[in-house]
Amino acid sequence: MGIADLVTALHETCVAYIAFGLRHPAQYRLVTDGEATEASRHNEDACFRYFRDKVTACREAGVPMESPTETARVLCSAVHGAVSLLIHQERDAWPSDTGRYVARAASSAVHGALLTASRTRPPSMSAVTRPD
């Protein structure tokens, strides 16, 4: 059973990516930080194309964006950063609730990538505060 909302599906993909990296830090480091091989380049390319296809589907469904490729790069850098930040630290430095961290990092990645896909404005207080 698929997820009908394409942005939600993209979010779930990001959750799965980050959660996998945190569950398998040694393997993740080997693939992403190790010496590049034909296999690792193939895996990285396939992973990027998968994200780009999901981003492109969002665009085709009406999410405004100038470049699905650039948007996928921004998204991939965010999810990779969310994994790398933790797996290069001792486990006791990790957040106590990694599930919450994964969900929040994935949400931040998707919202940030998609909200800036058609326009880039510097962040400001007015953009992040709610009127009372």
Side-chain angles (χ1 to χ4, degrees):
M1 180 172 165
I3 299 171
D5 182 320
L6 295 172
V7 174
T8 300
L10 180 61
H11 176 263
E12 292 300 318
T13 298
C14 292
V15 166
Y17 181 97
I18 297 167
F20 175 85
L22 297 182
R23 278 193 315 272
H24 306 284
Q27 294 89 335
Y28 187 89
R29 278 193 300 268
L30 181 65
V31 171
T32 61
D33 295 342
E35 184 176 330
T37 65
E38 181 71 26
S40 67
R41 282 189 291 275
H42 174 75
N43 286 339
E44 288 172 359
D45 183 57
C47 183
F48 177 75
R49 282 185 284 115
Y50 185 77
F51 272 99
R52 188 182 59 210
D53 289 349
K54 292 241 180 228
V55 168
T56 299
C58 291
R59 180 185 190 190
E60 290 170 354
V63 174
M65 76 180 64
E66 294 175 12
S67 169
T69 299
E70 180 181 287
T71 302
R73 283 187 190 121
V74 169
L75 183 67
C76 286
S77 70
V79 295
H80 174 67
V83 174
S84 295
L85 178 68
L86 293 189
I87 66 172
H88 290 94
Q89 298 179 30
E90 296 297 323
R91 286 250 182 188
D92 62 348
W94 288 25
S96 59
D97 186 347
T98 56
R100 181 177 188 279
Y101 171 81
V102 168
R104 188 162 181 219
S107 292
S108 178
V110 171
H111 284 111
L114 296 183
L115 288 173
T116 61
S118 66
R119 63 194 180 289
T120 305
R121 289 187 216 140
S124 69
M125 283 298 290
S126 64
V128 296
T129 55
R130 296 182 207 160
D132 291 325

